[in-house]
Every structure is written in structure tokens, then in C-alpha cells.
Amino acid sequence: MTIYIGNLNYRVTKEDIQEVFAEYGSVKNVVLPMDRETGRMRGFAFVEMNEDDQEDKAITELDGAEWMGRQLRVNKARPKEDRPRESFGGGRRDFNRSGV
């Protein structure tokens, strides 16, 4: 399972998140997505822990908690959905030569 942490302060680091979640068990991975255009943090993160019961306890105790001036949203991450890719042109169009 992966944990979603939302409404994060934009100054938070992976190390900050690692430290908070380490209080609940062994942290396997922390992902802190960055905006491609600005290079700034996007305000949310994902955490994986070694044991499901540790993840459940972290979710229960941290959801709604205030940290770094923000009220956290902590829950199980939803699986990434298979979304159709949007097309922005460039494909072949079949028009007849009369323009109709």
C-alpha cells in the first residue's frame, strides 16, 4: 500500500517526511513530486512503509494533524487510473480536395 499526504507546506523535504513517518515504523520510500515547469514541490507526497499495520497507524494518527502550519490530509493512495491520452492535433485529417 502507498500513503498519500496532501496539503503539505511547500518547504517540506523528503527528510522531513521520512522523520515524521519513521515514528510509526520503517519507511521504505518517499516520493515528493515536483512541478515540471517551475521545479517547485506540488504540495503532496507519497510514502511506502514496510508493514501495512504501520501504514494504517500513521494514517489514523496523522490525518487532520497540523504540521508546519498546514492541516494534513493522509489516506491510502488510489491507484493511478488508466486515462486516455488527450490528443492536441498533429494527426492526419482526411479532407476531400473541394474543402467539404
Side-chain angles (χ1 to χ4, degrees):
M1 170 177 53
T2 301
I3 301 171
Y4 165 84
I5 306 101
N7 200 33
L8 287 171
N9 186 303
Y10 289 102
R11 295 180 313 224
V12 74
T13 65
K14 282 185 176 184
E15 292 77 20
D16 293 332
I17 295 169
Q18 172 89 29
E19 186 177 321
V20 168
F21 279 83
E23 294 179 28
Y24 300 95
S26 179
V27 177
K28 191 180 341 181
N29 190 29
V30 175
V31 176
L32 200 60
M34 305 298 264
D35 185 277
R36 290 182 200 162
E37 293 179 19
T38 65
R40 286 184 33 167
M41 195 191 112
R42 296 182 63 193
F44 62 92
F46 298 98
V47 173
E48 290 180 77
M49 300 182 77
N50 287 324
E51 302 290 330
D52 287 345
D53 60 326
Q54 296 170 350
E55 290 177 337
D56 292 336
K57 185 173 182 177
I59 289 169
T60 300
E61 294 193 19
L62 293 174
D63 187 38
E66 188 173 322
W67 185 51
M68 296 180 76
R70 311 286 299 261
Q71 186 176 6
L72 300 179
R73 288 189 311 257
V74 183
N75 52 49
K76 292 181 182 181
R78 293 184 301 216
K80 195 171 189 177
E81 297 175 7
D82 292 327
R83 297 182 296 250
R85 295 182 62 133
E86 292 189 25
S87 175
F88 294 103
R92 181 177 172 189
R93 292 184 177 91
D94 290 323
F95 294 103
N96 63 28
R97 295 191 187 267
S98 65
V100 180

